[in-house]
Amino acid sequence: MTAEDHTPGRVAYQGAPGAFSHEACLDLRPWDEAVGFETFQGAIDAVLSGDCHCALIPVENSTVGVVEPAATLVREAGLVAVSDAWRPIRLALMGVPDARLSDIKTAESHPVALQQCSKALNEMKISAIEVFDTGGAAAAVAEAGDVSRAAVAPARAAEVYGLIVLRNDLQDFSDNRTRFVLFTAPEA
């Protein structure tokens, strides 16, 4: 497989629909079926088993540095990097349709996303709660229906889960970017 290969296949990513990795798959590999896994290990295993022909994994962020455990897991698995792309990361704070910014007490998201907006959350006196993924956080907030809970995720996730964006550009640094790497299984 090469970066220019547009043969339809299955690309693994970590997260739920609406997560940054899902968004990257839709934008960078629109001809592939994006297949979400709860963990980075699950996405890697799908490539190693042949269930998916590649995986798109975030390995580095301009604000927080190396994305762990992703970087270590792909290195230990021996996956082969095919291409990479730096993507801007714009964090949105979202809640249920009846919520107002003043109602929000907690914000749920992936630990790396929360690190990227820790200053903003502290200034708003919102407690951060770590969950497995940005899209999953949006899904959980939508399901709970609690006006005091919010998610930190891409704005697209609000559309996916019927939430409203309470604040855009929540990231602490305007040039916040993540490097996504396309990996394949090592040659046998």
Side-chain angles (χ1 to χ4, degrees):
M1 174 184 180
T2 67
E4 294 77 31
D5 183 2
H6 293 137
T7 304
R10 291 167 49 92
V11 58
Y13 70 93
Q14 182 274 326
F20 283 106
S21 292
H22 181 240
E23 192 174 72
C25 288
L26 296 177
D27 291 347
L28 299 173
R29 306 281 304 173
W31 55 88
D32 282 336
E33 175 189 356
V35 182
F37 293 87
E38 187 169 328
T39 64
F40 289 114
Q41 190 63 60
I44 292 165
D45 289 345
V47 173
L48 294 174
S49 72
D51 181 43
C52 292
H53 74 287
C54 61
L56 193 60
I57 307 284
V59 297
E60 184 179 1
N61 176 268
S62 61
T63 301
V64 301
V66 176
V67 175
E68 290 294 0
T72 297
L73 290 171
V74 295
R75 185 177 60 252
E76 289 173 351
L79 295 182
V80 177
V82 177
S83 65
D84 71 335
W86 280 94
R87 294 182 45 84
I89 301 295
R90 300 292 173 256
L91 301 170
L93 184 70
M94 57 195 67
V96 295
D98 295 336
R100 297 177 316 229
L101 189 55
S102 61
D103 296 327
I104 304 302
K105 304 291 181 237
T106 61
E108 305 168 27
S109 196
H110 188 277
V112 175
L114 291 171
Q115 290 173 26
Q116 294 169 39
C117 63
S118 61
K119 181 180 174 190
L121 291 176
N122 286 336
E123 287 172 357
M124 292 186 291
K125 297 181 179 21
I126 296 174
S127 299
I129 298 178
E130 294 183 358
V131 296
F132 81 96
D133 147 74
T134 55
V141 166
E143 185 177 321
D146 182 344
V147 296
S148 71
R149 289 174 60 180
V152 174
R156 273 190 203 169
E159 297 171 23
V160 171
Y161 298 105
L163 300 173
I164 59 166
V165 173
L166 300 166
R167 181 170 162 193
N168 275 308
D169 287 327
L170 193 64
Q171 65 278 353
D172 293 334
F173 299 99
S174 61
D175 65 342
N176 190 35
R177 299 173 297 127
T178 294
R179 183 168 68 105
F180 287 87
V181 179
L182 186 67
F183 291 100
T184 61
E187 298 279 329

